[in-house]
């Protein structure tokens, strides 16, 4: 997102989060994604998600066994979409 100057759950190529996860070889049965931008540290990003009912639901979803957290800092972020810090949290469970 930072490198391609956008902020969305939909990839720059039109992909969904589920499709991107599948392309890694992960065979998922349950998956959710939280994104945030502008928060300067993990605590701020997590608080933003906790304060949002939909994102909080994802974090507390029963059955999640794998999580991945990514952070990218682009300083200076000179694009039209300019947040400097970008956060992605993926929560998933594989098909057994």
């Amino acid at each position: 997102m930072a490198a391609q100057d956008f902020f969305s759950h939909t990839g720059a190529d039109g992909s969904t989060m589920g499709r991107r996860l599948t392309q890694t070889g992960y065979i998922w049965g349950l998956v959710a994604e939280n994104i945030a931008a502008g928060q300067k540290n993990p605590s701020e990003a997590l608080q933003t998600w906790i304060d949002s009912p939909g994102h909080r639901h994802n974090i507390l979803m029963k059955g999640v066994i794998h999580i991945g957290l990514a952070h990218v800092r682009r300083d200076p972020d000179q694009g039209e979409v300019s947040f400097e810090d970008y956060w992605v949290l993926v929560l998933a469970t594989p098909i057994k």
Side-chain angles (χ1 to χ4, degrees):
M1 289 184 283
Q4 296 183 7
D5 196 31
F6 76 101
F7 181 72
S8 176
H9 289 282
T10 303
D13 62 356
S15 63
T16 65
M17 180 258 320
R19 184 171 125 206
R20 292 188 300 273
L21 191 56
T22 298
Q23 288 174 334
T24 71
Y26 188 93
I27 310 299
W28 57 273
L30 173 68
V31 66
E33 176 185 57
N34 289 354
I35 62 174
Q39 297 78 6
K40 297 298 180 195
N41 59 57
S43 295
E44 287 181 17
L46 183 58
Q47 191 62 55
T48 298
W49 292 325
I50 292 295
D51 291 344
S52 163
H55 294 102
R56 181 183 178 96
H57 170 80
N58 289 347
I59 292 168
L60 299 176
M61 193 169 17
K62 292 184 185 210
V64 170
I65 62 169
H66 294 134
I67 63 168
L69 176 65
H71 169 251
V72 171
R73 180 160 179 82
R74 189 170 180 89
D75 187 13
D77 188 347
Q78 298 176 342
E80 288 186 34
V81 177
S82 179
F83 292 108
E84 290 185 354
D85 291 277
Y86 297 78
W87 303 87
V88 177
L89 176 66
V90 176
L91 308 107
T93 300
I95 294 176
K96 295 182 179 184

